[in-house]
Amino acid sequence: METIKLTQYSHGAGCGCKISPQVLDIILKGNISMPDNKNLIVGNSSKDDAAVLDLGNGTALISTTDFFMPIVDDPYNFGRIASANAISDVFAMGGKPILAIAILGWPINKLPPEVAQKVIDGSKSICAEAGISLAGGHSIDSPEPIFGLSVNGIVSLANIKLNNTAKNGNLIFLTKPLGVGILTTAEKKGILKPEHQNLAANQMMQLNKVGLALGELSSVTALTDVTGFGLLGHLTEMAEGSNLTAIIDFDAVPLISPALYNYIQQGATPGGTNRNKESYEHKIGSLTAAQWAILADPQTSGGLLVAVNESQTAEFFEVLKQHNLQAFAKPIGYFIDKSDKTVLVK
């Protein structure tokens, strides 16, 4: 079979395909209200990672879905990345994934079914790493390749983590570095250096398993994952939902490579970055162009954004160490009382 580059068949890439926060707010506003469901703990009323339903036995069901167009050319890795990204929503709620079903859109007149089979195989490999089955799914003939998962998980009611429950004085941590969107855009432009070829893909295929352990910590007050809206977008949701302002130390934010600045100068900024900036620029303090390019960079299968009580960091650091994430034990900021801006960067 001839070498096929999947990214040539899609207009978007990964979580950069997401509709902008500004437009999404209009779509979700709606004119029809749903009847109250006393068992629905998390639904459309918040901007959390997944829906959560109380099962009435001390546990809750977590339900989520996530899919997008290729962010890498290799079909096997595309399946792995899309699956890790979808499963992350369960971990970001402090839950344990239990089951996944696939969502596949395939341009059958352009790409052979054997390529789609590799996507599914990649998905199965990540599901196996997460300890779950890929138990079925649904497929359609579509103009562009699309893949993702619908994932269910379970969580103890006491361990549910939301993105709008941070407290004043909490420290802010991030468990993966930023820059995935910049590197994948550089690759699409043909300017990515050989030494940076696998940085983004390898990171995107890492499961956020630490979220399950963080769900058990009372010191973790709020939790979400960083995806298409970039760090600034997801931090804005956390700060606004908690009625706080976030202060970020830009120099403390982990980057996937110092080379990001060179790629930014060469124009390797995804379209999603500008959409993000347009959506929440009015809520953010003054930033340089380079800071915007990094902090609003759409992440695919990004890290967990964690709010932690300052006086209880020891147990949090121990969990990071157990998951080989001790490199991310340095806070990138903290929360203060709400001011005129939602996020300030120093």
Side-chain angles (χ1 to χ4, degrees):
M1 190 188 309
E2 63 177 302
T3 301
I4 291 174
K5 293 188 175 183
L6 283 183
T7 56
Q8 295 180 359
Y9 293 86
S10 62
H11 77 277
C15 285
C17 300
K18 291 178 74 169
I19 294 173
S20 75
Q22 192 175 41
V23 175
L24 188 59
D25 283 344
I26 297 172
I27 294 172
L28 296 179
K29 194 171 292 183
N31 296 313
I32 299 176
S33 60
M34 298 295 291
D36 290 337
N37 183 338
K38 61 182 179 62
N39 292 329
L40 186 62
I41 299 172
V42 180
N44 282 327
S45 59
S46 71
K47 297 180 179 180
D48 236 307
D49 296 288
V52 181
L53 185 74
D54 186 351
L55 296 177
N57 60 357
T59 63
L61 172 72
I62 301 173
S63 185
T64 185
T65 185
D66 211 316
F67 53 90
F68 46 62
M69 289 164 277
I71 191 168
V72 292
D73 289 321
D74 181 83
Y76 184 81
N77 284 347
F78 173 43
R80 285 176 59 82
I81 291 166
S83 300
N85 180 73
I87 294 169
S88 177
D89 285 342
V90 173
F91 287 131
M93 304 292 291
K96 176 183 179 181
I98 57 172
L99 185 70
I101 56 176
I103 300 160
L104 176 70
W106 205 250
I108 56 175
N109 62 332
K110 299 177 183 177
L111 290 169
E114 290 83 0
V115 179
Q117 181 186 40
K118 291 182 179 179
V119 175
I120 298 298
D121 283 345
S123 178
K124 288 178 179 178
S125 72
I126 281 291
C127 287
E129 287 183 28
I132 62 176
S133 298
L134 183 58
H138 183 68
S139 59
I140 62 168
D141 182 4
S142 64
E144 300 179 82
I146 299 168
F147 185 74
L149 298 178
S150 175
V151 187
N152 287 331
I154 54 172
V155 63
S156 167
L157 292 177
N159 293 348
I160 297 170
K161 298 300 182 185
L162 308 180
N163 73 347
N164 60 359
T165 48
K167 306 299 181 185
N168 188 0
N170 282 173
L171 300 178
I172 302 168
F173 295 85
L174 180 64
T175 65
K176 287 184 184 180
L178 301 182
V180 161
I182 295 168
L183 289 188
T184 54
T185 302
E187 184 169 20
K188 201 164 187 178
K189 284 178 169 287
I191 60 174
L192 191 69
K193 294 182 178 180
E195 61 265 32
H196 302 142
Q197 283 293 329
N198 297 315
L199 281 179
N202 289 341
Q203 176 171 302
M204 290 186 287
M205 290 185 284
Q206 293 174 8
L207 287 165
N208 283 320
K209 285 185 176 182
V210 67
L212 178 59
L214 296 179
E216 299 176 355
L217 301 184
S218 60
S219 56
V220 174
T221 63
L223 188 64
T224 192
D225 60 352
V226 177
T227 55
F229 298 159
L231 174 62
L232 284 180
H234 293 284
L235 183 59
T236 293
E237 290 180 344
M238 184 177 283
E240 278 189 331
S242 306
N243 199 34
L244 298 169
T245 286
I247 308 294
I248 293 297
D249 178 1
F250 182 76
D251 291 337
V253 175
L255 304 181
I256 196 168
S257 168
L260 292 181
Y261 292 101
N262 293 329
Y263 291 127
I264 292 169
Q265 290 175 353
Q266 295 178 70
T269 302
T273 299
N274 293 327
R275 292 195 297 272
N276 287 340
K277 184 180 178 183
E278 291 170 1
S279 294
Y280 47 72
E281 182 176 16
H282 60 290
K283 300 177 182 180
I284 311 297
S286 178
L287 297 180
T288 67
Q291 287 174 329
W292 270 113
I294 289 171
L295 298 179
D297 183 46
Q299 302 303 287
T300 298
S301 189
L304 297 178
L305 185 63
V306 195
V308 181
N309 282 329
E310 185 177 14
S311 61
Q312 296 177 285
T313 55
E315 62 176 8
F316 172 69
F317 292 155
E318 180 59 29
V319 167
L320 290 184
K321 183 178 180 182
Q322 291 170 2
H323 287 78
N324 295 316
L325 295 171
Q326 55 267 35
F328 302 101
K330 181 180 179 180
I332 65 169
Y334 54 91
F335 287 105
I336 62 170
D337 284 333
K338 185 174 178 59
S339 67
D340 60 329
K341 296 293 184 181
T342 307
V343 180
L344 297 171
V345 178
K346 62 179 184 178

